[in-house]
């Protein structure tokens, strides 16, 4: 099978993309400006919601209920934010204690089983390297699942296995 590459939208006046996910038949893109944009299959780009009051998006994942966005507000804190279909924002978890003063969350994925949860890849110190994988329950309970020797930048869940990308 040969993959097909298709350009959906061009000429976007945006600084940079901070993540992408699928949600309700569209692609949702997070930007460094804090905008979440919907890109339809025909390439139409529609602004959806801005999450910049909570920080800069660093990761995004879609689910049936909405999207979850990992955010870093640097000294002000680090968060996992939920956004529902109507654009209503709700705090899923405060990740500040785990990321610390010099860290940030960099990736998020969702496990949709009987007990749904999120996994978040968090750098504990972007200067010295080091990180962890945290689990966030549907009720917002946060627990560390694993510590990592280097900064994780992305995370995915395959069956019941967490896969994280790290710097070398």
């Amino acid at each position: 099978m040969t993959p097909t590459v298709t350009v959906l939208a061009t000429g976007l006046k945006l600084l940079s993309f901070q993540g992408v996910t699928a949600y309700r038949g569209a692609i949702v893109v997070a930007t460094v400006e804090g905008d979440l944009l919907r890109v339809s299959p025909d390439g139409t780009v529609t602004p959806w919601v801005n999450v910049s009051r909570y920080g800069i998006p660093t990761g995004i994942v879609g689910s049936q209920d909405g999207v979850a966005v990992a955010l870093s507000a640097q000294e002000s804190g680090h968060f996992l934010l939920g956004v529902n279909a109507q654009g209503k924002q709700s705090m899923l978890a405060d990740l500040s204690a785990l990321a610390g003063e010099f860290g940030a969350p960099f990736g998020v994925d969702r496990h949709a089983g009987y007990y749904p949860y999120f996994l978040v890849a968090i750098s504990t110190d972007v200067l010295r390297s080091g990180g962890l994988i945290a689990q966030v329950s549907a009720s917002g309970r946060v627990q560390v699942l694993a510590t990592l020797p280097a900064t994780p930048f992305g995370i995915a869940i395959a069956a019941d296995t967490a896969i994280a990308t790290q710097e070398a």
Side-chain angles (χ1 to χ4, degrees):
M1 178 176 137
T2 303
T4 302
V5 177
T6 304
V7 175
L8 290 179
T10 61
L12 301 174
K13 306 284 190 225
L14 304 166
L15 291 177
S16 71
F17 297 115
Q18 298 293 103
V20 62
T21 192
Y23 174 62
R24 290 195 169 190
I27 296 168
V28 178
V29 179
T31 71
V32 75
E33 296 97 342
D35 293 314
L36 302 186
L37 308 172
R38 291 184 187 181
V39 182
S40 67
D42 70 0
T44 303
V45 179
T46 306
W48 180 24
V49 66
N50 184 284
V51 296
S52 64
R53 80 178 248 213
Y54 296 101
I56 298 169
T58 56
I60 186 169
V61 64
S63 71
Q64 291 179 346
D65 306 327
V67 299
V69 185
L71 297 146
S72 176
Q74 298 168 338
E75 295 86 19
S76 300
H78 311 282
F79 309 99
L80 185 60
L81 184 75
V83 181
N84 72 12
Q86 293 75 38
K88 182 180 178 197
Q89 301 169 29
S90 60
M91 186 65 59
L92 299 176
D94 186 338
L95 306 170
S96 302
L98 297 179
E101 185 178 356
F102 300 108
F106 280 115
V108 60
D109 201 2
R110 182 176 186 274
H111 183 274
Y114 185 73
Y115 295 105
Y117 59 84
F118 297 96
L119 291 184
V120 185
I122 299 174
S123 169
T124 53
D125 189 334
V126 294
L127 299 175
R128 294 191 188 130
S129 192
L132 57 86
I133 297 173
Q135 180 179 356
V136 178
S137 71
S139 66
R141 183 173 163 258
V142 180
Q143 75 178 62
V144 175
L145 291 185
T147 57
L148 304 171
T151 296
F153 290 105
I155 193 159
I157 301 170
D160 288 327
T161 302
I163 301 165
T165 60
Q166 291 182 228
E167 66 182 357

